[in-house]
Amino acid sequence: MITKEAITALQEGESISAAAASLNASCDTNDLTALPSDYKLHDLEKYKAMRRRERGTMNTNVISAFTGYVTDHVEPGATVFVNADDMSATAVLNLGTPCVPGHADNRAKLTLKRTAAYSALVGIASGMGYKQTQIAEFLEDWPEHIQCVNESGSITLPKAIAAIRKLSIEAIRKIENSEQQLSASRSAFESVQATSADPLPTVIMFDCQPYADLKARTFALRLNVQTGGDKPTISLRIVKAEQHAEEMANELGYLIAHAFDGASIPVLLGSYSKAE
């Protein structure tokens, strides 16, 4: 006599066989199958001599290492995405094609590292107000990268530094009271101006290589003086910062594409995330 438990065991066995057949079937078949609620799937890959497929992420900050790894591990449909915001590139090696999509979990990641000079530039050129000594010390730390100019022309670096250190605020407040028999008048005049004994630069040209693999470029920093408090503060802002970021991203994309030596690997500006 066949018991209820035997019937349940036979049904579970058929479900397991159907699940195994579904895993081994081609990709154009139905991927859904029914399994008993108290059964769990176990991945046996770790017990085998080799993995089923490559997956993981390789990280580097060197373009040659990145392109070399991509070339050695490229699969059909592999694509490189260059992110302009953080100057990085991600190669999705098993992206596949629209007809034969891959798992998109085998990748290589390139993240360029800022040079010391460019890091200092980005840190100081935030648009925030800094003390005079902070701006002067920045100029003193990077003299080989800096040229100072104003509307009259070039200014030597020592004079520019002296002008910033000697910058002061002259506040003049004049109150005049005049009272007459039939009228009274009161006027107040207040002015605040920044003055310095030496010529003050209005633009600072900073020449540096922003990233190790990119070419050197010149950044123009606009100098502004705020006189709202008792002591002046100075802010620096990179002129056309967005244009610099776009040009550097395009340069990175060109360097990556050129490094592939004719390999048909698309290089696109943007990013990629896999939908689960």
Side-chain angles (χ1 to χ4, degrees), residues 121-267:
L121 169 66
V122 173
I124 200 74
S126 60
M128 297 175 54
Y130 290 91
K131 296 179 181 179
Q132 297 164 249
T133 54
Q134 292 175 296
I135 299 298
E137 288 171 357
F138 168 74
L139 300 181
E140 290 170 346
D141 288 343
W142 305 98
E144 67 275 16
H145 298 274
I146 292 174
Q147 289 183 341
C148 298
V149 297
N150 63 9
E151 61 276 3
S152 300
S154 299
I155 303 173
T156 62
L157 189 57
K159 286 187 176 181
I161 294 173
I164 290 173
R165 287 192 179 277
K166 295 177 183 178
L167 190 66
S168 63
I169 293 180
E170 292 183 352
I172 305 171
R173 183 175 178 85
K174 181 180 180 182
I175 300 176
E176 294 179 347
N177 292 311
S178 176
E179 292 187 2
Q180 299 178 359
Q181 184 178 1
L182 299 178
S183 65
S185 67
R186 177 184 176 90
S187 65
F189 171 76
E190 184 176 20
S191 67
V192 179
Q193 61 182 2
T195 63
S196 179
D198 293 297
L200 191 68
T202 56
V203 176
I204 296 173
M205 310 301 292
F206 195 94
D207 185 36
C208 71
Q209 187 179 15
Y211 298 93
D213 291 299
L214 270 59
K215 63 183 180 181
R217 60 177 50 236
T218 301
F219 299 89
L221 307 179
R222 183 167 287 119
L223 185 146
N224 292 299
V225 180
Q226 289 86 37
T227 57
D230 295 333
K231 293 183 178 181
T233 59
I234 301 174
S235 65
L236 298 176
R237 182 180 63 84
I238 299 177
V239 179
K240 297 182 179 180
E242 295 80 5
Q243 181 176 335
H244 281 292
E246 182 179 348
E247 290 174 353
M248 288 188 293
N250 288 331
E251 183 182 356
L252 175 59
Y254 171 81
L255 290 174
I256 292 173
H258 184 71
F260 285 136
D261 293 330
S264 57
I265 303 176
V267 179

Side-chain angles (χ1 to χ4, degrees), residues 79-84 88-90 95 249 253 256-257 265-271:
T79 304
V80 176
F81 300 90
V82 177
N83 191 328
S88 66
T90 301
L95 182 61
I256 292 173
I265 303 176
V267 179
L268 308 175
L269 288 181
S271 59

Side-chain angles (χ1 to χ4, degrees), residues 72-86:
D72 292 340
H73 296 81
V74 66
E75 298 181 33
T79 304
V80 176
F81 300 90
V82 177
N83 191 328
D85 294 333
D86 58 5

Side-chain angles (χ1 to χ4, degrees), residues 105-116:
D105 57 0
N106 191 29
R107 305 185 177 196
K109 179 72 177 290
L110 167 70
T111 304
L112 291 189
K113 185 178 181 180
R114 291 173 177 172
T115 62

Side-chain angles (χ1 to χ4, degrees), residues 87-109:
M87 289 301 290
S88 66
T90 301
V92 185
L93 301 173
N94 60 340
L95 182 61
T97 64
C99 296
V100 187
H103 286 274
D105 57 0
N106 191 29
R107 305 185 177 196
K109 179 72 177 290

